[in-house]
Amino acid sequence: MTVVSKNCLIIKGDNKKKELKENGYAIARQLIGSQEIERLKDEIAQNLPLSSTHGTRNLSNKLKSLDEIVNSSCINKFLSTYFESQNFQLVRMLYFNKTKQANWGVPWHQDKTIAVRERIEFTGFTAWSIKQGVVHVQPPLEVMKNILTVRVHLDAATEENGALRVIPGSHQLGILTQSQIEPIKNNLVSIACRVNAGDVTFMSPLLLHSSRKATKPSDRRTIHLEYFSGLLPNHLIFYYK
Ligand SMILES: O=C(O)CCC(=O)C(=O)O
């Protein structure tokens, strides 16, 4: 089934792309219909254990209705406009929630790593590691520039329940070390991304982002998708489940 939204037109044009390129993020309002959101919430309640609140992986088997969103013509149209190509693939899919029981915060950071099937050394690919049994690596800037994160919001997010915070434009600063991030976060303006259920945030993984603990916890469920356009060098292949 294809998700059709009356707001699909908003992201069809180049405006959101321009906003995204300049600011490193853009929020498309009410892109996913309430029925699809409710179906997904029901599946989450049934299939994901209550403890799965921060970064649950391997979602495709657990949440069948995610296919509707992943195949949403709206999101896919925007991705082809953004990448200027039909050649893009989903490379990561995570589920987050922040609740009273799991009221986490994350410091300012960029998402700098990708998961790959096996370690094949190549120039510019550094900081190899294994996380949850999967090989991760930090690719060079050219690869990171071809990744776009799509966050599908299943609930409203506000300052009170610990919405994602971003530093607009910081994706243009390249790949940063933790010591480079310190002065930037102290000197540049950050904002909380207030959203409603059905809104979708598109963002560069290099945009500096963080999230505070909720002061008034309430469900803040998010599906986090990452898409990549192009090919990795040297037969490196994304690990995706
Ligand atoms: O959803 C959040 O609050 C933070 C998520 C995050 O840090 C990330 O996607 O890297």
Side-chain angles (χ1 to χ4, degrees):
M1 195 196 293
T2 312
V3 181
V4 181
S5 156
K6 63 182 185 318
N7 289 340
C8 206
L9 283 175
I10 311 175
I11 61 162
K12 235 180 174 180
D14 283 335
N15 285 354
K16 283 279 168 221
K17 177 177 169 180
K18 192 163 170 273
E19 200 180 320
L20 179 52
K21 293 262 178 194
E22 273 172 24
N23 297 334
Y25 76 105
I27 301 171
R29 303 288 174 187
Q30 297 302 289
L31 211 59
I32 308 294
S34 54
Q35 283 183 354
E36 286 79 14
I37 296 290
E38 288 310 315
R39 237 188 327 266
L40 205 44
K41 283 184 185 173
D42 286 347
E43 279 192 9
I44 288 171
Q46 280 167 25
N47 301 325
L48 294 182
L50 282 179
S51 58
S52 303
T53 46
H54 191 183
T56 305
R57 290 158 200 273
N58 301 341
L59 295 182
S60 33
N61 295 333
K62 295 172 189 149
L63 305 178
K64 296 288 173 215
S65 57
L66 248 190
D67 284 353
E68 291 177 28
I69 287 177
V70 168
N71 297 324
S72 143
S73 60
C74 235
I75 289 180
N76 281 284
K77 262 182 209 156
F78 180 69
L79 291 171
S80 51
T81 306
Y82 177 79
F83 289 125
E84 296 175 4
S85 164
Q86 302 288 344
N87 176 20
F88 53 84
Q89 53 173 318
L90 183 60
V91 294
R92 185 173 279 162
M93 179 147 69
L94 299 171
Y95 162 69
F96 299 120
N97 195 7
K98 189 182 290 192
T99 60
K100 198 171 174 186
Q101 292 73 28
N103 190 1
W104 43 271
V106 272
W108 287 102
H109 68 283
Q110 297 174 308
D111 293 336
K112 298 192 284 196
T113 59
I114 59 170
V116 290
R117 283 201 205 155
E118 60 176 316
R119 179 170 177 154
I120 309 174
E121 300 282 348
F122 193 69
T123 319
F125 285 74
T126 60
W128 293 87
S129 64
I130 310 263
K131 290 181 201 154
Q132 297 177 344
V134 179
V135 181
H136 282 72
V137 63
Q138 189 176 303
L141 187 59
E142 309 81 70
V143 170
M144 291 310 300
K145 279 183 171 170
N146 286 328
I147 299 179
L148 186 67
T149 299
V150 176
R151 289 168 60 102
V152 178
H153 303 285
L154 309 187
D155 299 294
T158 60
E159 274 97 337
E160 286 74 31
N161 68 1
L164 185 79
R165 299 189 69 84
V166 299
I167 298 182
S170 54
H171 65 302
Q172 296 181 21
L173 301 172
I175 296 179
L176 302 165
T177 61
Q178 211 48 45
S179 57
Q180 288 171 317
I181 291 175
E182 280 303 304
I184 297 170
K185 78 168 177 31
N186 294 335
N187 292 315
L188 296 186
V189 171
S190 70
I191 59 159
C193 297
R194 284 194 214 120
V195 291
N196 284 310
D199 291 352
V200 175
T201 303
F202 296 91
M203 71 180 241
S204 160
L206 294 181
L207 182 71
L208 281 170
H209 57 286
S210 70
S211 140
R212 294 177 182 162
K213 286 187 175 193
T215 51
K216 289 188 190 158
S218 62
D219 273 322
R220 202 216 64 173
R221 287 162 285 192
T222 307
I223 302 288
H224 172 119
L225 308 169
E226 285 175 26
Y227 291 84
F228 170 70
S229 173
L231 276 179
L232 291 177
N234 204 26
H235 307 293
L236 275 165
I237 297 176
F238 276 94
Y239 172 89
Y240 168 70
K241 256 197 174 176

